[in-house]
Amino acid sequence: LAKTTQPISMDSYEGQEVNITCSHNNIATNDYITWYQQFPSQGPRFIIQGYKTKVTNEVASLFIPADRKSSTLSLPRVSLSDTAVYYCPLLLTGGGNKLTFGTGTQLKVEL
Amino acid sequence: EAQVTQNPRYLITVTGKKLTVTCSQNMNHEYMSWYRQDPGLGLRQIYYSMNVEATDKGDVPEGYKVSRKEKRNFPLILESPSPNQTSLYFCASSLTGDNEQFFGPGTRLTVL
């Protein structure tokens, strides 16, 4: 199974752009790249999903290079409420549609 | 409100006493799944279901059972719980499985 690697933690300040990178060197053809956010004592919440190139929605952008061995989640102008753990699980389609979670990145946003 | 609900939210039990954690979704999703979350290990899939009467094992199915008799419900059954099943459990659902998964609030289980 493809494994993901992320920084354990990141710190930022309100109003800044935050970029979190995820490494997935063994990504398979059927894998989609997804990002989830998790607050303490809550279930993960979907942020964005992509296969290649760039995807943007109302809360974030996802950058995926041509080789797909990494991805970067970009959060524009973070606020205190963005303090959470961010995961970049690969979605294995056709094989149980399993999300393979790593240990995530704890993002801390300060004033 | 579109949501995934789990019950109970917290449960303390003893080894060997059968228990069921219920999961229900109101979004008419085809796909449902169970995960457990343990410190340092992330979330791991226990079982999944592509549709009614269609279930299959995930990465860590030992000691668990599931059933999918109705589209909205996907209960997780521990026939004989053991202390190594102490964990935080999440149910999730998705329209077809290859898109956004919606997670429930979690069930914290302690087996003594």
Side-chain angles (χ1 to χ4, degrees), chain A residues 80-93:
Chain A
L80 293 175
S81 62
D82 293 317
T83 294
V85 178
Y86 291 82
Y87 296 95
C88 56
L90 300 180
L91 175 59
L92 174 62
T93 61

Side-chain angles (χ1 to χ4, degrees), chain B residues 11-71:
Chain B
L11 179 60
I12 300 174
T13 189
V14 295
T15 299
K17 185 176 181 182
K18 180 179 178 180
L19 66 92
T20 299
V21 183
T22 64
C23 173
S24 183
Q25 50 93 5
N26 62 1
M27 296 170 278
N28 200 36
H29 284 172
E30 301 283 338
Y31 180 90
M32 297 186 75
S33 179
W34 276 102
Y35 295 85
R36 61 178 288 174
Q37 184 172 28
D38 302 291
L41 297 176
L43 283 89
R44 295 176 291 168
Q45 190 184 55
I46 303 171
Y47 269 94
Y48 67 94
S49 170
M50 299 294 285
N51 211 326
V52 174
E53 302 292 2
T55 64
D56 210 341
K57 297 177 181 178
D59 292 327
V60 288
E62 295 77 21
Y64 305 94
K65 285 176 56 177
V66 293
S67 68
R68 187 94 182 272
K69 293 182 172 23
E70 305 168 281
K71 199 172 192 179

Side-chain angles (χ1 to χ4, degrees), chain A residues 29-96:
Chain A
T29 304
N30 290 339
D31 287 338
Y32 281 74
I33 297 160
T34 70
W35 283 82
Y36 283 76
Q37 175 192 57
Q38 187 177 27
F39 297 109
S41 300
Q42 294 186 24
R45 186 171 70 175
F46 175 84
I47 301 172
I48 199 166
Q49 175 174 319
Y51 188 79
K52 59 181 177 181
T53 65
K54 177 183 174 182
V55 180
T56 297
N57 62 22
E58 60 276 9
V59 298
S61 295
L62 176 59
F63 298 91
I64 305 169
D67 66 6
R68 304 201 325 125
K69 292 183 183 299
S70 66
S71 59
T72 299
L73 174 73
S74 181
L75 303 172
R77 301 182 60 80
V78 295
S79 64
L80 293 175
S81 62
D82 293 317
T83 294
V85 178
Y86 291 82
Y87 296 95
C88 56
L90 300 180
L91 175 59
L92 174 62
T93 61

